[in-house]
Amino acid sequence: MRKLKIKDVVMTALLTALYLVFYMASSLGVFLLGQFGHAISPGICALLSGAVFVFMTRKVGRFGQFIIMQAIAMLIFSIMGAGYLPWLITSMTGAVLADIIASREQKPAIWKVAIASGLFHVGQAWGTIIPSWFFLESYKADWISRGQTPEAMEEMVKFTTGFMGFVSTVVVFALAVGGVYLGWLILRKHLKEDKKSEAQD
C-alpha cells in the first residue's frame, strides 16, 4: 500500500478546493429540484466533479486521499455552520470505503474509481437519510433549532424517509458513477499522453 507523502497531501488539498467549487456550482441544480435536489445534492456534485476523482487517483493514488478530501470538506461545511455529527460519521465512513476500494493500488480501474465515488457521495447523502430513518424527530428538532422552518424540514424528509431514502441513495450512487465515467471521457486523452512522462515512485 502506497503511503501519502507531503506533496500528495498538498495535491489532495488543492483538488479538494476544486471539488468544493463544483459542490457550490451544484447548488443551482439543487435549487431547481427543490427538496429532492437537496436529498440528492451529493450526487449532483459527483456528476460534475467526476474528473476530479479520476485525476486524483492518477496524480495522487495513495491510501488516505479520499479520507483527507472528505475531512477537509466536512471541516469547511462545519465552519459554514452545517456541521452535523451523523453527517460526519456517514461521510467519513464512505470515504474510508472509497479508499479501501480505489486507493490501494496505483491507477485503479475506472470501475473501481466509480464505485469509490459512489460510496464517497452516498456517505454524504446518508447524513440526512440515516437520521430520517432512525431518529427523525430529534433530527428535525435539531435543524429547526438552527433556523430551518418546520415546513421546510417536513418537505425535505419526504425524500429521505422510508422508500424515498432508498431511491435517493440509488440516484446519488448512479450520478456519482456516471460522473466518474464522464470525467474519464474528458481526461482520457490527456492521461494517455501524460502516461509516458510519469515516473514510478
Side-chain angles (χ1 to χ4, degrees), residues 39-183:
I40 64 167
S41 58
I44 298 173
C45 171
L47 182 65
L48 298 177
S49 62
V52 176
F53 276 69
V54 173
F55 192 83
M56 188 164 71
T57 60
R58 270 53 191 164
K59 298 301 180 180
V60 179
R62 297 175 187 271
F63 193 88
Q65 58 191 351
F66 294 119
I67 294 172
I68 292 174
M69 173 178 270
Q70 195 79 285
I72 293 173
M74 290 296 106
L75 176 61
I76 297 299
F77 291 137
S78 295
I79 292 172
M80 294 169 62
Y84 184 53
L85 183 58
W87 190 31
L88 173 64
I89 293 171
T90 60
S91 295
M92 293 310 299
T93 299
V96 170
L97 293 174
D99 266 324
I100 290 172
I101 289 172
S103 301
R104 294 187 298 172
E105 58 187 299
Q106 190 174 17
K107 297 183 180 178
I110 291 300
W111 68 265
K112 290 185 178 181
V113 181
I115 292 175
S117 180
L119 293 172
F120 184 96
H121 290 96
V122 164
Q124 292 179 355
W126 274 14
T128 58
I129 293 170
I130 293 296
S132 295
W133 278 346
F134 297 107
F135 42 96
L136 177 60
E137 293 307 317
S138 63
Y139 168 56
K140 290 192 295 185
D142 188 323
W143 285 97
I144 289 171
S145 71
R146 300 187 191 203
Q148 288 286 345
T149 66
E151 294 78 15
M153 285 303 299
E154 289 296 337
E155 184 65 22
M156 188 181 72
V157 298
K158 286 181 182 178
F159 301 104
T160 54
T161 54
F163 180 70
M164 283 307 300
F166 172 76
V167 171
S168 295
T169 298
V170 171
V171 171
V172 169
F173 189 86
L175 289 172
V177 169
V180 165
Y181 279 99
L182 178 62

Side-chain angles (χ1 to χ4, degrees), residues 14-30 41-55 69 77 121 124 179 182-183 186-187:
L14 292 173
L15 291 173
T16 302
L18 179 59
Y19 170 77
L20 290 172
V21 171
F22 284 112
Y23 211 112
M24 298 307 170
S26 69
S27 62
L28 176 60
V30 172
S41 58
I44 298 173
C45 171
L47 182 65
L48 298 177
S49 62
V52 176
F53 276 69
V54 173
F55 192 83
M69 173 178 270
F77 291 137
H121 290 96
Q124 292 179 355
L182 178 62
I186 294 170
L187 293 177

